[in-house]
Amino acid sequence: MNSEEEFYDAETGLESDDSCEVSFKDACVYESKQTVNGKVPSENGVRERRTTLPVPMFSRNDFSVWGFLKKCIGMELSKITMPIVFNEPLSFLQRITEYMEHTYLIHKACTLSDSIERMQLVAAFAVSAVASQWDRTGKPFNPLLGETFELTRDEEGYHMISEQVSHHPPISAFYSESLNQDFSFHGSIYPKLKFWGKSVEAEPKGTMTLELSKHREAYTWTNPMCCVHNVILGKLWIEQYGTVEIVNHSTGDKCVLNFKPCGMFGKELHRVEGHIQDKSKKKHQVIYGKWTECVYSIEPKVYEVNKKAEKKSGEDSKKHKQEQSTVGDDADEMPDVQETVTMIPGSTLLWRVAPRPPHSTQMYNFTNFAMTLNELEPGTIGVIAPTDCRLRPDIRAMENGDIDTASQEKERLEEKQRVARRERAKDEEEWSTRWFQQGNNRYTGAADWIYKGGYFDRRYSDLPDIY
């Protein structure tokens, strides 16, 4: 197996609780397109998408994780080959497109005239982009160099293309845009992971850029840190933490979001808190909620009054928890999930996670959106690029429950990739990306991969044979 294969982190949305009720100011409550039994209803000729995988996931109970990982402590996992039992039947390029599950937030932001209100929705979109990570403890397949994925959602008004542009280091570039040219959302991702005995920590690399053409605005941010606990012993659970700064490069507005670490007693588990300020650093709105559930906004003065009252009432209960708390030596115990987000009167609900399908736990904890990503719809073959990961035989075999074939095909594809790399080295030939080129982000100046255009012209005759 390829010792240079990169390992991508398990990304993971807890079901929204009924306590996340609609706020006052109902004109400012933003909801996604409704579904029926997990499907977008067929209308105007739009085909319903699948709501399940062909077969349930296999059991990992008989596999010794420690036997494999004990040699990896302190190492960067991009240099280690991971057995297929760690995987879920999606490519990392498909996982990137899960950022787009809540695109309705961007569409809504495009219609608003106030920059602070637009920033609220951009902040909600940034939080929603990591919601699907909750309980997703399988890792996506590593994209082959030159692999692509196309996501077209006519009913949601956008399409997206991604490409694996580098193998060492592993870099995935993506570009999405609305079909009526209202927005574009793009970036390149280089996740850097390390194994620390009980946990795997992922440091996000790469910048997310959202452009709203009508308002001539551009927003940039990076994703929070992610940690997968108990990869050896105990129940796997996922934590997001760190500060995310969203900058509006046109107005100078900024949203500072703090994804809070769990803390000793679990009180902060999943919580997100931050504020929106203008270029003079005046605070306009406070953002609060959980990345697994919902996000609200409220005026800063109201929030501070509520916070003080909450702190005063919570001091006695904190002392009680300290007396009861025990810490396990063998596993990083996941704290009991605290009460769901309590809406402060006067708040506006910006976003709420969609419930997962009832059978999600038997389907790699996929969301309804994720369930559709590897579906080959009628008429797809011959239209999408031959490098599209929906055509990868190892992912397809795993989705169909044939783990032996999936493992064999995975090894075959890796060997084919190694042979191609050796041939290029022999001929002193550099790899040439097809849809993206190296450059700099025009707003931050940081290194980035820029979409060259042309994918949807459907001229694919010069693409590499990677499968």
Side-chain angles (χ1 to χ4, degrees), residues 163-196:
E163 178 183 5
Q164 190 69 6
V165 294
S166 174
H167 189 59
H168 299 297
I171 302 175
S172 307
F174 70 91
Y175 178 85
S176 62
E177 64 182 4
S178 68
L179 300 180
N180 60 7
Q181 310 301 309
D182 278 348
F183 73 83
S184 65
F185 176 54
H186 50 91
S188 52
I189 300 174
Y190 166 26
K192 190 173 183 180
L193 298 94
K194 283 192 176 181
F195 173 54
W196 295 114

PDB file of all heavy atoms in Angstrom, residues 163-196:
ATOM      1  N   GLU A 163     -10.902  19.705  -7.416  1.00  0.00           N
ATOM      2  CA  GLU A 163      -9.825  18.933  -8.023  1.00  0.00           C
ATOM      3  C   GLU A 163      -8.719  18.712  -6.999  1.00  0.00           C
ATOM      4  O   GLU A 163      -8.412  19.608  -6.204  1.00  0.00           O
ATOM      5  CB  GLU A 163      -9.256  19.684  -9.239  1.00  0.00           C
ATOM      6  CG  GLU A 163      -8.090  18.972  -9.920  1.00  0.00           C
ATOM      7  CD  GLU A 163      -7.493  19.769 -11.080  1.00  0.00           C
ATOM      8  OE1 GLU A 163      -7.923  20.925 -11.294  1.00  0.00           O
ATOM      9  OE2 GLU A 163      -6.612  19.237 -11.762  1.00  0.00           O
ATOM     10  N   GLN A 164      -8.132  17.507  -7.018  1.00  0.00           N
ATOM     11  CA  GLN A 164      -6.957  17.253  -6.199  1.00  0.00           C
ATOM     12  C   GLN A 164      -5.759  17.778  -6.972  1.00  0.00           C
ATOM     13  O   GLN A 164      -5.338  17.197  -7.972  1.00  0.00           O
ATOM     14  CB  GLN A 164      -6.805  15.758  -5.902  1.00  0.00           C
ATOM     15  CG  GLN A 164      -5.754  15.443  -4.873  1.00  0.00           C
ATOM     16  CD  GLN A 164      -6.146  15.904  -3.471  1.00  0.00           C
ATOM     17  OE1 GLN A 164      -7.264  16.376  -3.246  1.00  0.00           O
ATOM     18  NE2 GLN A 164      -5.233  15.778  -2.516  1.00  0.00           N
ATOM     19  N   VAL A 165      -5.204  18.894  -6.507  1.00  0.00           N
ATOM     20  CA  VAL A 165      -4.189  19.607  -7.274  1.00  0.00           C
ATOM     21  C   VAL A 165      -2.768  19.269  -6.842  1.00  0.00           C
ATOM     22  O   VAL A 165      -1.811  19.600  -7.533  1.00  0.00           O
ATOM     23  CB  VAL A 165      -4.406  21.132  -7.184  1.00  0.00           C
ATOM     24  CG1 VAL A 165      -5.717  21.524  -7.865  1.00  0.00           C
ATOM     25  CG2 VAL A 165      -4.395  21.607  -5.728  1.00  0.00           C
ATOM     26  N   SER A 166      -2.614  18.616  -5.689  1.00  0.00           N
ATOM     27  CA  SER A 166      -1.286  18.253  -5.208  1.00  0.00           C
ATOM     28  C   SER A 166      -1.393  16.992  -4.364  1.00  0.00           C
ATOM     29  O   SER A 166      -2.395  16.780  -3.666  1.00  0.00           O
ATOM     30  CB  SER A 166      -0.680  19.388  -4.377  1.00  0.00           C
ATOM     31  OG  SER A 166       0.547  19.005  -3.787  1.00  0.00           O
ATOM     32  N   HIS A 167      -0.353  16.152  -4.477  1.00  0.00           N
ATOM     33  CA  HIS A 167      -0.325  14.925  -3.685  1.00  0.00           C
ATOM     34  C   HIS A 167       0.579  15.075  -2.467  1.00  0.00           C
ATOM     35  O   HIS A 167       0.330  14.512  -1.410  1.00  0.00           O
ATOM     36  CB  HIS A 167       0.149  13.768  -4.555  1.00  0.00           C
ATOM     37  CG  HIS A 167       0.009  12.426  -3.890  1.00  0.00           C
ATOM     38  ND1 HIS A 167      -1.208  11.936  -3.452  1.00  0.00           N
ATOM     39  CD2 HIS A 167       0.929  11.474  -3.597  1.00  0.00           C
ATOM     40  CE1 HIS A 167      -1.037  10.739  -2.914  1.00  0.00           C
ATOM     41  NE2 HIS A 167       0.256  10.432  -2.987  1.00  0.00           N
ATOM     42  N   HIS A 168       1.695  15.786  -2.618  1.00  0.00           N
ATOM     43  CA  HIS A 168       2.623  16.065  -1.514  1.00  0.00           C
ATOM     44  C   HIS A 168       2.995  17.537  -1.535  1.00  0.00           C
ATOM     45  O   HIS A 168       3.781  17.943  -2.378  1.00  0.00           O
ATOM     46  CB  HIS A 168       3.887  15.213  -1.642  1.00  0.00           C
ATOM     47  CG  HIS A 168       3.632  13.753  -1.597  1.00  0.00           C
ATOM     48  ND1 HIS A 168       3.093  13.111  -0.503  1.00  0.00           N
ATOM     49  CD2 HIS A 168       3.815  12.795  -2.532  1.00  0.00           C
ATOM     50  CE1 HIS A 168       2.982  11.837  -0.761  1.00  0.00           C
ATOM     51  NE2 HIS A 168       3.402  11.618  -1.998  1.00  0.00           N
ATOM     52  N   PRO A 169       2.423  18.344  -0.658  1.00  0.00           N
ATOM     53  CA  PRO A 169       1.405  17.986   0.332  1.00  0.00           C
ATOM     54  C   PRO A 169       0.048  17.789  -0.332  1.00  0.00           C
ATOM     55  O   PRO A 169      -0.192  18.294  -1.427  1.00  0.00           O
ATOM     56  CB  PRO A 169       1.386  19.212   1.254  1.00  0.00           C
ATOM     57  CG  PRO A 169       1.732  20.347   0.349  1.00  0.00           C
ATOM     58  CD  PRO A 169       2.758  19.790  -0.601  1.00  0.00           C
ATOM     59  N   PRO A 170      -0.855  17.069   0.339  1.00  0.00           N
ATOM     60  CA  PRO A 170      -2.193  16.877  -0.231  1.00  0.00           C
ATOM     61  C   PRO A 170      -3.005  18.171  -0.192  1.00  0.00           C
ATOM     62  O   PRO A 170      -3.244  18.720   0.880  1.00  0.00           O
ATOM     63  CB  PRO A 170      -2.816  15.808   0.676  1.00  0.00           C
ATOM     64  CG  PRO A 170      -2.084  15.959   1.977  1.00  0.00           C
ATOM     65  CD  PRO A 170      -0.690  16.386   1.631  1.00  0.00           C
ATOM     66  N   ILE A 171      -3.386  18.658  -1.370  1.00  0.00           N
ATOM     67  CA  ILE A 171      -4.170  19.899  -1.450  1.00  0.00           C
ATOM     68  C   ILE A 171      -5.378  19.668  -2.351  1.00  0.00           C
ATOM     69  O   ILE A 171      -5.246  19.155  -3.465  1.00  0.00           O
ATOM     70  CB  ILE A 171      -3.335  21.070  -1.993  1.00  0.00           C
ATOM     71  CG1 ILE A 171      -2.100  21.308  -1.118  1.00  0.00           C
ATOM     72  CG2 ILE A 171      -4.179  22.345  -2.064  1.00  0.00           C
ATOM     73  CD1 ILE A 171      -1.162  22.376  -1.650  1.00  0.00           C
ATOM     74  N   SER A 172      -6.537  20.046  -1.862  1.00  0.00           N
ATOM     75  CA  SER A 172      -7.780  19.971  -2.630  1.00  0.00           C
ATOM     76  C   SER A 172      -8.292  21.382  -2.866  1.00  0.00           C
ATOM     77  O   SER A 172      -8.412  22.165  -1.927  1.00  0.00           O
ATOM     78  CB  SER A 172      -8.838  19.167  -1.867  1.00  0.00           C
ATOM     79  OG  SER A 172      -8.338  17.898  -1.478  1.00  0.00           O
ATOM     80  N   ALA A 173      -8.574  21.715  -4.132  1.00  0.00           N
ATOM     81  CA  ALA A 173      -9.089  23.040  -4.481  1.00  0.00           C
ATOM     82  C   ALA A 173     -10.534  22.912  -4.933  1.00  0.00           C
ATOM     83  O   ALA A 173     -10.922  21.907  -5.541  1.00  0.00           O
ATOM     84  CB  ALA A 173      -8.239  23.661  -5.590  1.00  0.00           C
ATOM     85  N   PHE A 174     -11.336  23.924  -4.621  1.00  0.00           N
ATOM     86  CA  PHE A 174     -12.746  23.884  -5.035  1.00  0.00           C
ATOM     87  C   PHE A 174     -13.216  25.264  -5.470  1.00  0.00           C
ATOM     88  O   PHE A 174     -12.660  26.297  -5.072  1.00  0.00           O
ATOM     89  CB  PHE A 174     -13.633  23.359  -3.900  1.00  0.00           C
ATOM     90  CG  PHE A 174     -13.773  24.298  -2.732  1.00  0.00           C
ATOM     91  CD1 PHE A 174     -14.802  25.236  -2.682  1.00  0.00           C
ATOM     92  CD2 PHE A 174     -12.880  24.250  -1.672  1.00  0.00           C
ATOM     93  CE1 PHE A 174     -14.929  26.104  -1.617  1.00  0.00           C
ATOM     94  CE2 PHE A 174     -12.996  25.116  -0.588  1.00  0.00           C
ATOM     95  CZ  PHE A 174     -14.026  26.044  -0.564  1.00  0.00           C
ATOM     96  N   TYR A 175     -14.243  25.256  -6.291  1.00  0.00           N
ATOM     97  CA  TYR A 175     -14.863  26.503  -6.757  1.00  0.00           C
ATOM     98  C   TYR A 175     -16.342  26.237  -6.984  1.00  0.00           C
ATOM     99  O   TYR A 175     -16.728  25.290  -7.669  1.00  0.00           O
ATOM    100  CB  TYR A 175     -14.232  26.979  -8.062  1.00  0.00           C
ATOM    101  CG  TYR A 175     -14.861  28.230  -8.629  1.00  0.00           C
ATOM    102  CD1 TYR A 175     -14.446  29.492  -8.201  1.00  0.00           C
ATOM    103  CD2 TYR A 175     -15.880  28.153  -9.575  1.00  0.00           C
ATOM    104  CE1 TYR A 175     -15.029  30.641  -8.700  1.00  0.00           C
ATOM    105  CE2 TYR A 175     -16.474  29.299 -10.083  1.00  0.00           C
ATOM    106  CZ  TYR A 175     -16.046  30.541  -9.641  1.00  0.00           C
ATOM    107  OH  TYR A 175     -16.640  31.688 -10.143  1.00  0.00           O
ATOM    108  N   SER A 176     -17.188  27.071  -6.394  1.00  0.00           N
ATOM    109  CA  SER A 176     -18.633  26.974  -6.614  1.00  0.00           C
ATOM    110  C   SER A 176     -19.178  28.351  -6.928  1.00  0.00           C
ATOM    111  O   SER A 176     -18.626  29.370  -6.497  1.00  0.00           O
ATOM    112  CB  SER A 176     -19.340  26.396  -5.380  1.00  0.00           C
ATOM    113  OG  SER A 176     -19.174  27.238  -4.258  1.00  0.00           O
ATOM    114  N   GLU A 177     -20.259  28.365  -7.677  1.00  0.00           N
ATOM    115  CA  GLU A 177     -20.886  29.640  -8.019  1.00  0.00           C
ATOM    116  C   GLU A 177     -22.372  29.427  -8.232  1.00  0.00           C
ATOM    117  O   GLU A 177     -22.825  28.323  -8.560  1.00  0.00           O
ATOM    118  CB  GLU A 177     -20.259  30.235  -9.281  1.00  0.00           C
ATOM    119  CG  GLU A 177     -20.469  29.409 -10.532  1.00  0.00           C
ATOM    120  CD  GLU A 177     -19.785  29.999 -11.759  1.00  0.00           C
ATOM    121  OE1 GLU A 177     -19.082  31.011 -11.613  1.00  0.00           O
ATOM    122  OE2 GLU A 177     -19.964  29.437 -12.857  1.00  0.00           O
ATOM    123  N   SER A 178     -23.134  30.500  -8.015  1.00  0.00           N
ATOM    124  CA  SER A 178     -24.567  30.424  -8.258  1.00  0.00           C
ATOM    125  C   SER A 178     -24.819  30.448  -9.756  1.00  0.00           C
ATOM    126  O   SER A 178     -24.042  31.019 -10.531  1.00  0.00           O
ATOM    127  CB  SER A 178     -25.298  31.583  -7.573  1.00  0.00           C
ATOM    128  OG  SER A 178     -24.972  32.814  -8.187  1.00  0.00           O
ATOM    129  N   LEU A 179     -25.898  29.826 -10.163  1.00  0.00           N
ATOM    130  CA  LEU A 179     -26.205  29.733 -11.584  1.00  0.00           C
ATOM    131  C   LEU A 179     -26.608  31.071 -12.172  1.00  0.00           C
ATOM    132  O   LEU A 179     -26.551  31.258 -13.392  1.00  0.00           O
ATOM    133  CB  LEU A 179     -27.316  28.691 -11.803  1.00  0.00           C
ATOM    134  CG  LEU A 179     -26.965  27.274 -11.326  1.00  0.00           C
ATOM    135  CD1 LEU A 179     -28.126  26.322 -11.590  1.00  0.00           C
ATOM    136  CD2 LEU A 179     -25.684  26.766 -11.977  1.00  0.00           C
ATOM    137  N   ASN A 180     -27.008  32.025 -11.328  1.00  0.00           N
ATOM    138  CA  ASN A 180     -27.347  33.363 -11.819  1.00  0.00           C
ATOM    139  C   ASN A 180     -26.277  34.391 -11.474  1.00  0.00           C
ATOM    140  O   ASN A 180     -26.526  35.596 -11.497  1.00  0.00           O
ATOM    141  CB  ASN A 180     -28.710  33.815 -11.285  1.00  0.00           C
ATOM    142  CG  ASN A 180     -28.745  33.862  -9.764  1.00  0.00           C
ATOM    143  OD1 ASN A 180     -27.718  33.685  -9.094  1.00  0.00           O
ATOM    144  ND2 ASN A 180     -29.926  34.089  -9.212  1.00  0.00           N
ATOM    145  N   GLN A 181     -25.078  33.880 -11.111  1.00  0.00           N
ATOM    146  CA  GLN A 181     -23.899  34.725 -10.869  1.00  0.00           C
ATOM    147  C   GLN A 181     -24.025  35.642  -9.654  1.00  0.00           C
ATOM    148  O   GLN A 181     -23.357  36.673  -9.572  1.00  0.00           O
ATOM    149  CB  GLN A 181     -23.577  35.574 -12.114  1.00  0.00           C
ATOM    150  CG  GLN A 181     -23.497  34.790 -13.414  1.00  0.00           C
ATOM    151  CD  GLN A 181     -22.442  33.700 -13.370  1.00  0.00           C
ATOM    152  OE1 GLN A 181     -21.307  33.966 -13.009  1.00  0.00           O
ATOM    153  NE2 GLN A 181     -22.820  32.481 -13.733  1.00  0.00           N
ATOM    154  N   ASP A 182     -24.845  35.269  -8.680  1.00  0.00           N
ATOM    155  CA  ASP A 182     -24.987  36.078  -7.468  1.00  0.00           C
ATOM    156  C   ASP A 182     -23.775  35.953  -6.539  1.00  0.00           C
ATOM    157  O   ASP A 182     -23.422  36.906  -5.838  1.00  0.00           O
ATOM    158  CB  ASP A 182     -26.239  35.663  -6.686  1.00  0.00           C
ATOM    159  CG  ASP A 182     -27.501  36.295  -7.239  1.00  0.00           C
ATOM    160  OD1 ASP A 182     -27.383  37.214  -8.061  1.00  0.00           O
ATOM    161  OD2 ASP A 182     -28.601  35.858  -6.855  1.00  0.00           O
ATOM    162  N   PHE A 183     -23.152  34.787  -6.500  1.00  0.00           N
ATOM    163  CA  PHE A 183     -22.042  34.580  -5.580  1.00  0.00           C
ATOM    164  C   PHE A 183     -21.076  33.550  -6.146  1.00  0.00           C
ATOM    165  O   PHE A 183     -21.404  32.770  -7.046  1.00  0.00           O
ATOM    166  CB  PHE A 183     -22.542  34.105  -4.210  1.00  0.00           C
ATOM    167  CG  PHE A 183     -23.035  32.681  -4.187  1.00  0.00           C
ATOM    168  CD1 PHE A 183     -22.139  31.615  -4.039  1.00  0.00           C
ATOM    169  CD2 PHE A 183     -24.385  32.386  -4.312  1.00  0.00           C
ATOM    170  CE1 PHE A 183     -22.581  30.306  -4.032  1.00  0.00           C
ATOM    171  CE2 PHE A 183     -24.840  31.070  -4.304  1.00  0.00           C
ATOM    172  CZ  PHE A 183     -23.933  30.025  -4.157  1.00  0.00           C
ATOM    173  N   SER A 184     -19.879  33.543  -5.570  1.00  0.00           N
ATOM    174  CA  SER A 184     -18.931  32.451  -5.768  1.00  0.00           C
ATOM    175  C   SER A 184     -18.311  32.133  -4.415  1.00  0.00           C
ATOM    176  O   SER A 184     -18.130  33.018  -3.577  1.00  0.00           O
ATOM    177  CB  SER A 184     -17.846  32.819  -6.784  1.00  0.00           C
ATOM    178  OG  SER A 184     -17.042  33.882  -6.307  1.00  0.00           O
ATOM    179  N   PHE A 185     -18.014  30.862  -4.208  1.00  0.00           N
ATOM    180  CA  PHE A 185     -17.415  30.390  -2.958  1.00  0.00           C
ATOM    181  C   PHE A 185     -16.284  29.448  -3.337  1.00  0.00           C
ATOM    182  O   PHE A 185     -16.495  28.477  -4.072  1.00  0.00           O
ATOM    183  CB  PHE A 185     -18.461  29.672  -2.103  1.00  0.00           C
ATOM    184  CG  PHE A 185     -17.920  29.064  -0.836  1.00  0.00           C
ATOM    185  CD1 PHE A 185     -17.210  29.832   0.070  1.00  0.00           C
ATOM    186  CD2 PHE A 185     -18.144  27.721  -0.545  1.00  0.00           C
ATOM    187  CE1 PHE A 185     -16.714  29.277   1.253  1.00  0.00           C
ATOM    188  CE2 PHE A 185     -17.661  27.153   0.624  1.00  0.00           C
ATOM    189  CZ  PHE A 185     -16.946  27.937   1.520  1.00  0.00           C
ATOM    190  N   HIS A 186     -15.065  29.733  -2.885  1.00  0.00           N
ATOM    191  CA  HIS A 186     -13.935  28.955  -3.355  1.00  0.00           C
ATOM    192  C   HIS A 186     -12.829  28.916  -2.313  1.00  0.00           C
ATOM    193  O   HIS A 186     -12.811  29.691  -1.353  1.00  0.00           O
ATOM    194  CB  HIS A 186     -13.409  29.521  -4.678  1.00  0.00           C
ATOM    195  CG  HIS A 186     -13.162  30.996  -4.663  1.00  0.00           C
ATOM    196  ND1 HIS A 186     -11.951  31.556  -4.319  1.00  0.00           N
ATOM    197  CD2 HIS A 186     -13.989  32.053  -4.941  1.00  0.00           C
ATOM    198  CE1 HIS A 186     -12.027  32.873  -4.405  1.00  0.00           C
ATOM    199  NE2 HIS A 186     -13.261  33.216  -4.776  1.00  0.00           N
ATOM    200  N   GLY A 187     -11.880  28.006  -2.524  1.00  0.00           N
ATOM    201  CA  GLY A 187     -10.762  27.882  -1.603  1.00  0.00           C
ATOM    202  C   GLY A 187      -9.921  26.668  -1.909  1.00  0.00           C
ATOM    203  O   GLY A 187     -10.181  25.920  -2.858  1.00  0.00           O
ATOM    204  N   SER A 188      -8.886  26.460  -1.121  1.00  0.00           N
ATOM    205  CA  SER A 188      -8.047  25.271  -1.201  1.00  0.00           C
ATOM    206  C   SER A 188      -7.763  24.799   0.214  1.00  0.00           C
ATOM    207  O   SER A 188      -7.602  25.612   1.131  1.00  0.00           O
ATOM    208  CB  SER A 188      -6.742  25.565  -1.948  1.00  0.00           C
ATOM    209  OG  SER A 188      -6.078  26.694  -1.417  1.00  0.00           O
ATOM    210  N   ILE A 189      -7.739  23.486   0.387  1.00  0.00           N
ATOM    211  CA  ILE A 189      -7.673  22.912   1.729  1.00  0.00           C
ATOM    212  C   ILE A 189      -6.485  21.968   1.834  1.00  0.00           C
ATOM    213  O   ILE A 189      -6.296  21.076   1.006  1.00  0.00           O
ATOM    214  CB  ILE A 189      -8.977  22.153   2.056  1.00  0.00           C
ATOM    215  CG1 ILE A 189     -10.168  23.114   1.985  1.00  0.00           C
ATOM    216  CG2 ILE A 189      -8.892  21.512   3.437  1.00  0.00           C
ATOM    217  CD1 ILE A 189     -11.497  22.430   2.160  1.00  0.00           C
ATOM    218  N   TYR A 190      -5.699  22.175   2.875  1.00  0.00           N
ATOM    219  CA  TYR A 190      -4.562  21.319   3.169  1.00  0.00           C
ATOM    220  C   TYR A 190      -4.630  20.981   4.652  1.00  0.00           C
ATOM    221  O   TYR A 190      -4.075  21.688   5.486  1.00  0.00           O
ATOM    222  CB  TYR A 190      -3.256  22.041   2.804  1.00  0.00           C
ATOM    223  CG  TYR A 190      -1.994  21.426   3.354  1.00  0.00           C
ATOM    224  CD1 TYR A 190      -1.895  20.064   3.676  1.00  0.00           C
ATOM    225  CD2 TYR A 190      -0.862  22.209   3.552  1.00  0.00           C
ATOM    226  CE1 TYR A 190      -0.740  19.518   4.177  1.00  0.00           C
ATOM    227  CE2 TYR A 190       0.322  21.674   4.049  1.00  0.00           C
ATOM    228  CZ  TYR A 190       0.374  20.318   4.364  1.00  0.00           C
ATOM    229  OH  TYR A 190       1.531  19.787   4.863  1.00  0.00           O
ATOM    230  N   PRO A 191      -5.346  19.900   5.025  1.00  0.00           N
ATOM    231  CA  PRO A 191      -5.452  19.555   6.443  1.00  0.00           C
ATOM    232  C   PRO A 191      -4.180  18.904   6.950  1.00  0.00           C
ATOM    233  O   PRO A 191      -3.640  17.987   6.336  1.00  0.00           O
ATOM    234  CB  PRO A 191      -6.623  18.565   6.472  1.00  0.00           C
ATOM    235  CG  PRO A 191      -6.617  17.955   5.119  1.00  0.00           C
ATOM    236  CD  PRO A 191      -6.072  18.972   4.163  1.00  0.00           C
ATOM    237  N   LYS A 192      -3.670  19.389   8.066  1.00  0.00           N
ATOM    238  CA  LYS A 192      -2.459  18.839   8.670  1.00  0.00           C
ATOM    239  C   LYS A 192      -2.857  18.126   9.955  1.00  0.00           C
ATOM    240  O   LYS A 192      -3.410  18.735  10.871  1.00  0.00           O
ATOM    241  CB  LYS A 192      -1.459  19.958   8.962  1.00  0.00           C
ATOM    242  CG  LYS A 192      -0.085  19.475   9.362  1.00  0.00           C
ATOM    243  CD  LYS A 192       0.890  20.642   9.464  1.00  0.00           C
ATOM    244  CE  LYS A 192       2.306  20.151   9.803  1.00  0.00           C
ATOM    245  NZ  LYS A 192       3.253  21.284   9.891  1.00  0.00           N
ATOM    246  N   LEU A 193      -2.601  16.816  10.020  1.00  0.00           N
ATOM    247  CA  LEU A 193      -3.086  16.003  11.121  1.00  0.00           C
ATOM    248  C   LEU A 193      -1.951  15.356  11.888  1.00  0.00           C
ATOM    249  O   LEU A 193      -0.933  14.974  11.312  1.00  0.00           O
ATOM    250  CB  LEU A 193      -4.021  14.907  10.603  1.00  0.00           C
ATOM    251  CG  LEU A 193      -5.295  15.375   9.903  1.00  0.00           C
ATOM    252  CD1 LEU A 193      -5.085  15.454   8.415  1.00  0.00           C
ATOM    253  CD2 LEU A 193      -6.424  14.426  10.217  1.00  0.00           C
ATOM    254  N   LYS A 194      -2.176  15.195  13.206  1.00  0.00           N
ATOM    255  CA  LYS A 194      -1.226  14.464  14.044  1.00  0.00           C
ATOM    256  C   LYS A 194      -1.979  13.571  15.019  1.00  0.00           C
ATOM    257  O   LYS A 194      -3.084  13.901  15.472  1.00  0.00           O
ATOM    258  CB  LYS A 194      -0.312  15.424  14.807  1.00  0.00           C
ATOM    259  CG  LYS A 194       0.791  16.029  13.942  1.00  0.00           C
ATOM    260  CD  LYS A 194       1.847  16.728  14.786  1.00  0.00           C
ATOM    261  CE  LYS A 194       2.989  17.226  13.910  1.00  0.00           C
ATOM    262  NZ  LYS A 194       4.042  17.900  14.707  1.00  0.00           N
ATOM    263  N   PHE A 195      -1.359  12.449  15.343  1.00  0.00           N
ATOM    264  CA  PHE A 195      -1.924  11.499  16.292  1.00  0.00           C
ATOM    265  C   PHE A 195      -1.208  11.666  17.628  1.00  0.00           C
ATOM    266  O   PHE A 195       0.023  11.636  17.691  1.00  0.00           O
ATOM    267  CB  PHE A 195      -1.736  10.073  15.758  1.00  0.00           C
ATOM    268  CG  PHE A 195      -2.130   9.004  16.734  1.00  0.00           C
ATOM    269  CD1 PHE A 195      -3.393   9.003  17.314  1.00  0.00           C
ATOM    270  CD2 PHE A 195      -1.230   8.004  17.085  1.00  0.00           C
ATOM    271  CE1 PHE A 195      -3.750   8.014  18.216  1.00  0.00           C
ATOM    272  CE2 PHE A 195      -1.585   7.017  17.992  1.00  0.00           C
ATOM    273  CZ  PHE A 195      -2.851   7.028  18.556  1.00  0.00           C
ATOM    274  N   TRP A 196      -1.991  11.840  18.712  1.00  0.00           N
ATOM    275  CA  TRP A 196      -1.417  12.111  20.033  1.00  0.00           C
ATOM    276  C   TRP A 196      -1.805  11.054  21.066  1.00  0.00           C
ATOM    277  O   TRP A 196      -2.115  11.371  22.206  1.00  0.00           O
ATOM    278  CB  TRP A 196      -1.834  13.490  20.515  1.00  0.00           C
ATOM    279  CG  TRP A 196      -1.290  14.595  19.669  1.00  0.00           C
ATOM    280  CD1 TRP A 196      -1.973  15.459  18.885  1.00  0.00           C
ATOM    281  CD2 TRP A 196       0.095  14.932  19.507  1.00  0.00           C
ATOM    282  NE1 TRP A 196      -1.128  16.320  18.240  1.00  0.00           N
ATOM    283  CE2 TRP A 196       0.162  16.018  18.603  1.00  0.00           C
ATOM    284  CE3 TRP A 196       1.290  14.421  20.015  1.00  0.00           C
ATOM    285  CZ2 TRP A 196       1.365  16.606  18.213  1.00  0.00           C
ATOM    286  CZ3 TRP A 196       2.479  15.001  19.623  1.00  0.00           C
ATOM    287  CH2 TRP A 196       2.513  16.084  18.739  1.00  0.00           C
TER     288      TRP A 196
END
